[in-house]
Amino acid sequence: MACRVQKRVSLRRRLHIQRVLTNFNNNANIKRSPIANITFLHIHKLKLELENLKREYENLIATRRYYINLLNDNVNDNNDVKIEKIKAGTFMVKVTCEKGGDKLVDILEAFEKMCVNVEQARVSCENGFSMEAIIVAEDQNLDVREVNEVLLKAIGKKSGEKGSEKL
């Protein structure tokens, strides 16, 4: 007897929870359609909402990938060398190019061939290769144009060309 009462109480609790979850308060409608059908409809609506959210998430991921590719393309298109003369024989060098290869090694070898000393340098490979350096030439007659040509050859471009080509 006590077991039947407990089952009835637990069934009433579950039905009450289902009514609350489905926002169903009208007792007249409960008699017309069973709570199981209402619960099924509620679950179906939740599944549809979940599918919509998944679709929106996939669209956002695709949009994110598209913009990241655009940013990477813009970074990779900026292959250049900028050189500023600070004082006689001292230059500020800024190099940006695409990732890959031994760019740093090639640039340092080019500095060595020009007989320049690197006083300070900062290198980054986050979105392509970039380097900022202060170099001091042993020969005071070194020109900005000469440094520019040597560095362009070192990173794989001939001076005056837009595309990069390995020498």
Side-chain angles (χ1 to χ4, degrees), residues 123-134:
V123 179
S124 172
C125 293
E126 191 170 326
N127 290 328
F129 176 83
S130 63
M131 178 180 130
E132 294 180 9
I134 298 175

Side-chain angles (χ1 to χ4, degrees), residues 154-166:
I155 64 171
K157 285 180 14 178
K158 292 182 180 176
S159 61
E161 287 185 6
K162 286 194 173 185
S164 65
E165 188 176 357
K166 207 63 174 163

Side-chain angles (χ1 to χ4, degrees), residues 67-161:
Y67 283 115
I68 286 174
N69 287 337
L70 280 178
L71 286 173
N72 288 339
D73 290 344
N74 288 339
V75 168
N76 289 341
D77 289 344
N78 295 329
N79 299 337
D80 65 336
V81 175
K82 295 179 184 176
I83 300 169
E84 299 174 22
K85 191 170 188 176
I86 298 173
K87 58 184 177 181
T90 305
F91 302 95
M92 172 64 135
V93 177
K94 294 181 183 179
V95 178
T96 56
C97 59
E98 71 275 353
K99 257 186 191 178
D102 296 331
K103 305 287 187 198
L104 182 61
V105 174
D106 294 338
I107 291 171
L108 292 177
E109 287 175 354
F111 285 158
E112 189 175 322
K113 287 179 185 175
M114 288 188 294
C115 297
V116 296
N117 296 322
V118 179
E119 280 191 355
Q120 181 180 0
R122 182 176 21 188
V123 179
S124 172
C125 293
E126 191 170 326
N127 290 328
F129 176 83
S130 63
M131 178 180 130
E132 294 180 9
I134 298 175
I135 60 172
V136 178
E138 293 174 3
D139 180 18
Q140 298 295 324
N141 296 330
L142 193 63
D143 189 18
V144 172
R145 189 175 38 88
E146 294 172 15
V147 176
N148 193 8
E149 287 177 9
V150 171
L151 288 177
L152 284 173
K153 287 179 185 177
I155 64 171
K157 285 180 14 178
K158 292 182 180 176
S159 61
E161 287 185 6

